[in-house]
Amino acid sequence: MKFIAQKTEDGTIKGKISFYCAALNVSRQGFYDYLENRNRTWKYEHLAELIKSVIAEDECNDTYGRGRMYAALKLKYPDEKIPSERTVYRVMERIGADHPKRRKPNGITKADREARKSDDLLKRNFVAERPCEKCAC
């Protein structure tokens, strides 16, 4: 959209708009909506400033995830209308304050390659003629 706005001088050169929109697979209505809304302030700008202030408070606060950040915002600004935890996460993601979850290692136990293998007592014959003849204990 910015490219089209630059090439058409914010939509004043009318003949090129349809060409650029077709070349970039953008609708003309979408381009005009972009021109109308590009200077509008972000809906969650105030929330982003609150999040940045919580982060700047202490050096350890930059590790806050969405749950802790939501709780900190509710605690520090009880009079402010704080949206849901998911919205706080989206705002943190947009301003670059989010932290991806660290996965716990699944394979902590390593197999011992030199361990002695157990003997195959059944010799892969699992059919028993009587009940409880070949039970694992």
Side-chain angles (χ1 to χ4, degrees), residues 99-108:
H99 296 282
K101 288 187 177 182
R102 295 189 181 120
R103 290 183 58 219
K104 294 180 182 176
N106 289 336
I108 294 176

Side-chain angles (χ1 to χ4, degrees), residues 124-129 133-134:
R124 311 293 296 165
N125 182 11
F126 302 107
V127 180
E129 295 176 12
E133 184 178 4
K134 297 181 179 179

Side-chain angles (χ1 to χ4, degrees), residues 67-118:
R68 288 176 70 189
M69 182 60 72
Y70 179 74
L73 288 171
K74 284 285 196 185
L75 186 64
K76 187 171 180 189
Y77 305 106
D79 298 334
E80 297 284 338
K81 185 177 182 304
I82 307 296
S84 69
E85 184 177 320
R86 179 69 181 161
T87 305
V88 169
Y89 173 68
R90 286 189 187 123
V91 171
M92 287 176 64
E93 199 173 41
R94 183 158 174 185
I95 65 174
D98 66 324
H99 296 282
K101 288 187 177 182
R102 295 189 181 120
R103 290 183 58 219
K104 294 180 182 176
N106 289 336
I108 294 176
T109 306
K110 301 295 180 194
D112 186 8
R113 301 289 181 202
E114 278 95 42
R116 200 180 118 227
K117 303 280 188 215
S118 59

Side-chain angles (χ1 to χ4, degrees), residues 10-69:
D10 294 334
T12 56
I13 303 174
K14 300 290 184 191
K16 293 185 177 181
I17 292 175
S18 59
F19 170 74
Y20 285 123
C21 287
L24 296 174
N25 199 18
V26 175
S27 67
R28 285 190 5 220
Q29 183 62 45
F31 171 68
Y32 287 120
D33 287 344
Y34 164 77
L35 286 179
E36 185 178 325
N37 297 322
R38 70 179 168 177
N39 295 327
R40 187 176 291 176
T41 59
W42 184 32
K43 180 179 178 181
Y44 296 112
E45 191 68 40
H46 181 66
L47 180 63
E49 294 302 320
L50 295 179
I51 290 172
K52 288 178 185 177
S53 69
V54 169
I55 290 173
E57 225 174 60
D58 189 20
E59 63 185 31
C60 296
N61 290 357
D62 65 341
T63 61
Y64 277 12
R66 67 180 180 188
R68 288 176 70 189
M69 182 60 72

